[in-house]
Amino acid sequence: MGLDTRPLSTLHEKASYEVADFEVPTGREEEWRFTPLRRLKGLHNGTADASGKVISEIETPAEIKVETVGRDDERLGKAFVPSDRVSAQAWTSFTEATVVTVPQEVEASAPVVIRRHGEDASGAAYGHTTVIVEPFAKATVVLSHRGSALYAENVEFVVGDSASLSVISLQDWADDAVHVGRQHAKLGRDARFTSHNISLGGDLVRISPSVEYAERGGDAELYGVYFADGGQHLEHRLLVDHAVATCRSRVDYRGALQDQDAHAVWIGDVIIRAEAEGTDTYELNRNLVLTDGTRVDSVPNLEILTGEVAGAGHASASGRLDDEHLFYLQARGIPFDQARRMVVRGFLGQLVDRIQVEEVREKVAAAIEAELDRAPAPETEPAR
């Protein structure tokens, strides 16, 4: 399959299944300039030794069909085309794929849970997952990533007409893990798609969710929570491509950072093409800086090629804990450390509470508490 050039956005210029169609990144390219390439351990330039192993375990209700298929399965790659070299490398390198099918008009009785567990971060492993939700069906899929791994994957979601899919992707890797993932959703007429990306563990995690509308009435909500500790690089790069009229999207990602060299990157791209009249979209990123020595890069991008929109906007904000909020709580007898925790919980909890799977919601809340337990004590408390 040949190279597809996309001139509308400089951040997504190329699309191809062939690795050779993408030049090896140098770090000067716009789409790679925030990523520390040396920490990718060769995923970006083809030098990674493909000797890694990531084990998959799947739990599914009886009404949902889950298959392990080979590369020649015709359902693979129908919803997306890789838009960067690592995604193309993952496409050409996987040997088996997971296909989840939710039959037409079926509402899943329980979430489909796909657990990926890495055993070794010295060699690369590659994965591919396709989730097909047929018309008028409804399901929730949980993707859980744990252990040590050097892992690149593509995940594609095909949501049929009037179908609904909720996806929760939890990146809770070990400290030495590297994970580069592409997640792409293609929505049919009046389809609804909700995703939650929670990135907590790993040395370097770079997740790229994207949404494509095939018919009118599509509705996408993309939420994200991340907590970066010292030395961690957590990166999320989103694309919502409004190419069809009367579709809706909402993006809300929030993160917290603490300790030296914690780095969070959020890139939000929304394109409203000329034919996408009646689009309603808004994207938001907020970051809470808890200590000195951290770095945040937050870049919202909005391209509007028609004046006939229902609504379009974006916002980004990064800053420290509000001294007034802390003082308000302390003035009511709450100790400083507890007040600090309450502010962080409230900031991230608004999105955590949206996670509909109770087990995952509780796990994420506990992980945030564990992150706060590791926070260094402040040198001074805010003045009263």
Side-chain angles (χ1 to χ4, degrees), residues 58-60 64 66 100-102 108 110-114 129-133 138-144 155 157 164-170 193-196 357 360:
I58 303 174
E59 295 180 7
T60 181
I64 307 301
V66 178
V100 178
T101 304
V102 185
V112 178
V113 181
I114 302 175
T129 303
T130 297
V131 178
I132 302 169
V133 185
K138 183 177 182 179
T140 297
V141 174
V142 179
L143 306 171
S144 176
V155 186
F157 308 104
S164 177
L165 174 63
S166 177
V167 176
I168 305 164
S169 182
L170 176 60
F193 176 74
T194 304
S195 79
H196 301 265
V357 180
V360 178

Side-chain angles (χ1 to χ4, degrees), residues 32-345:
W32 291 103
R33 68 185 179 97
F34 294 115
T35 308
L37 297 179
R38 60 179 177 79
R39 290 167 63 178
L40 291 177
K41 300 181 180 179
L43 285 179
H44 65 299
N45 60 17
T47 63
D49 178 19
S51 61
K53 187 174 182 181
V54 173
I55 299 173
S56 297
E57 298 178 355
I58 303 174
E59 295 180 7
T60 181
E63 64 272 16
I64 307 301
K65 185 177 182 181
V66 178
E67 306 165 81
T68 300
V69 302
R71 296 186 52 83
D72 58 348
D73 192 289
E74 63 180 9
R75 293 169 294 182
L76 306 181
K78 294 297 185 182
F80 93 113
V81 182
S83 59
D84 63 58
R85 186 180 175 93
V86 177
S87 180
Q89 185 70 64
W91 169 259
T92 60
S93 300
F94 78 89
T95 56
E96 292 182 334
T98 300
V99 177
V100 178
T101 304
V102 185
Q104 184 169 332
E105 298 183 356
V106 167
E107 181 172 348
S109 59
V112 178
V113 181
I114 302 175
R115 296 186 178 91
R116 311 285 196 201
H117 188 274
E119 296 186 334
D120 187 359
S122 62
Y126 302 94
H128 190 96
T129 303
T130 297
V131 178
I132 302 169
V133 185
E134 296 182 348
F136 299 96
K138 183 177 182 179
T140 297
V141 174
V142 179
L143 306 171
S144 176
H145 306 88
R146 301 179 66 88
S148 297
L150 176 60
Y151 189 52
E153 67 169 346
N154 293 305
V155 186
E156 52 183 332
F157 308 104
V158 183
V159 189
D161 294 350
S162 298
S164 177
L165 174 63
S166 177
V167 176
I168 305 164
S169 182
L170 176 60
Q171 289 71 241
D172 194 17
W173 296 102
D175 292 342
D176 60 349
V178 175
H179 179 197
V180 181
R182 171 80 189 280
Q183 304 171 355
H184 182 74
K186 185 174 183 179
L187 309 188
R189 181 179 292 273
D190 297 326
R192 180 174 178 81
F193 176 74
T194 304
S195 79
H196 301 265
N197 262 293
I198 301 101
S199 296
L200 301 171
D203 177 65
L204 184 152
V205 174
R206 173 177 156 135
I207 306 296
S208 301
S210 55
V211 175
E212 170 189 357
Y213 299 90
E215 298 286 348
R216 290 171 174 259
D219 190 313
E221 296 184 356
L222 309 181
Y223 301 109
V225 172
Y226 48 92
F227 203 127
D229 285 317
Q232 269 191 307
H233 178 96
L234 303 181
E235 182 170 347
H236 301 87
R237 308 181 68 94
L238 289 79
L239 169 64
V240 181
D241 189 351
H242 284 276
V244 178
T246 61
C247 292
R248 175 184 177 272
S249 67
R250 290 292 184 272
V251 175
D252 192 345
Y253 270 60
R254 302 185 189 186
L257 300 89
Q258 65 185 13
D259 294 347
Q260 189 68 31
D261 295 326
H263 188 193
V265 178
W266 181 86
I267 310 295
D269 295 335
V270 176
I271 301 173
I272 305 175
R273 300 178 185 264
E275 59 270 31
E277 297 180 352
T279 291
D280 181 7
T281 181
Y282 195 85
E283 61 173 345
L284 172 66
N285 177 232
R286 293 177 178 171
N287 296 281
L288 194 56
V289 178
L290 302 180
T291 68
D292 293 334
T294 66
R295 175 182 170 185
V296 177
D297 292 292
S298 179
V299 185
N301 299 298
L302 179 59
E303 297 182 60
I304 305 175
L305 302 178
T306 176
E308 300 297 326
V309 297
H314 60 184
S316 170
S318 301
R320 294 183 174 276
L321 288 167
D322 191 322
D323 288 346
E324 291 187 2
H325 290 170
L326 295 174
F327 176 72
Y328 177 86
L329 294 171
Q330 288 181 273
R332 282 149 183 79
I334 299 174
F336 173 76
D337 182 64
Q338 186 177 348
R340 179 178 180 274
R341 284 174 174 266
M342 291 175 66
V343 173
V344 176
R345 284 194 207 108

